[in-house]
Amino acid sequence: MKKIFLLVLITVISLRGISQKYTNDHIWINLGTGADFTGNFAIGGSLTYQLQMFTLSARYINIPNSCLSCTEKNYSRDIGLLIGLIQRKEKGFISGGAGIGSFFYKEEKYGLLSNNIIEDSRYSIPIEIQAFLTRKNIGIGLYGFADFNSHKSFAGVLISLQIGFSPNK
């Protein structure tokens, strides 16, 4: 846990060093699909609000892992609230954040004589990195995610579309 805290602290400090102050707020939604680092399909989305150099995000990541011929299927999902920092340029931005979340895991094993279902829910530390090319109110980019928990941590990347606006304009 101390290593995770130090990693988040170092990330926030390093991002703060390259951040700038902004006069406009921005709100955007990301929706994407991709994979976790073990090769499982992943889907997710986030709603992010930028206030000056800070971001506040709510995110959802789902990683289903099942196949038609398997005798078991499982999935992981995380829901989190994250705070972070952003570096915005004319044609895009990069941001990073960390926060608190809820991790849920379900595993179903099917046999001839019995079925076994395991469900687990825990608190987690979600982390995100967003890197997007943007034009006016639309963008495309990468959404990196990680979820650190005491059961089954995971990480991955989504290719995402972004729709957003600036409420001050």
Side-chain angles (χ1 to χ4, degrees):
M1 192 65 151
K2 289 180 185 177
K3 290 180 182 178
I4 293 170
F5 176 75
L6 287 174
L7 177 65
V8 171
L9 183 63
I10 289 169
T11 303
V12 169
I13 289 171
S14 64
L15 285 172
R16 187 175 188 280
I18 61 172
S19 294
Q20 300 173 355
K21 290 189 176 182
Y22 303 96
T23 57
N24 293 328
D25 300 347
H26 297 278
I27 298 171
W28 63 89
I29 296 173
N30 296 332
L31 297 173
T33 185
D36 70 1
F37 290 144
T38 61
N40 294 318
F41 172 76
I43 189 166
S46 68
L47 171 66
T48 303
Y49 175 69
Q50 175 193 344
L51 177 62
Q52 295 184 0
M53 66 184 211
F54 299 99
T55 60
L56 179 63
S57 296
R59 77 133 184 239
Y60 175 80
I61 302 289
N62 189 13
I63 304 175
N65 181 14
S66 61
C67 62
L68 296 175
S69 62
C70 295
T71 58
E72 69 179 64
K73 64 180 180 177
N74 59 59
Y75 68 88
S76 301
R77 74 175 169 225
D78 116 313
I79 299 170
L81 290 173
L82 302 91
I83 189 165
L85 298 167
I86 187 166
Q87 173 70 39
R88 184 175 286 279
K89 298 291 184 181
E90 183 179 326
K91 295 184 179 182
F93 71 88
I94 184 166
S95 70
I100 188 162
S102 177
F103 164 79
F104 180 77
Y105 176 79
K106 184 175 182 179
E107 182 177 305
E108 300 175 8
K109 294 183 180 182
Y110 303 103
L112 292 174
L113 301 175
S114 67
N115 296 333
N116 188 17
I117 298 176
I118 300 170
E119 294 182 348
D120 191 17
S121 179
R122 299 173 188 239
Y123 290 109
S124 64
I125 300 173
I127 295 178
E128 71 176 9
I129 296 176
Q130 300 183 43
F132 279 82
L133 296 174
T134 56
R135 298 293 291 178
K136 294 192 180 185
N137 297 334
I138 194 161
I140 188 166
L142 299 176
Y143 183 90
F145 62 88
D147 183 278
F148 296 101
N149 59 74
S150 60
H151 179 74
K152 186 175 178 160
S153 298
F154 58 87
V157 177
L158 304 176
I159 298 172
S160 298
L161 291 176
Q162 177 189 95
I163 299 172
F165 69 96
S166 180
N168 294 332
K169 290 186 177 181

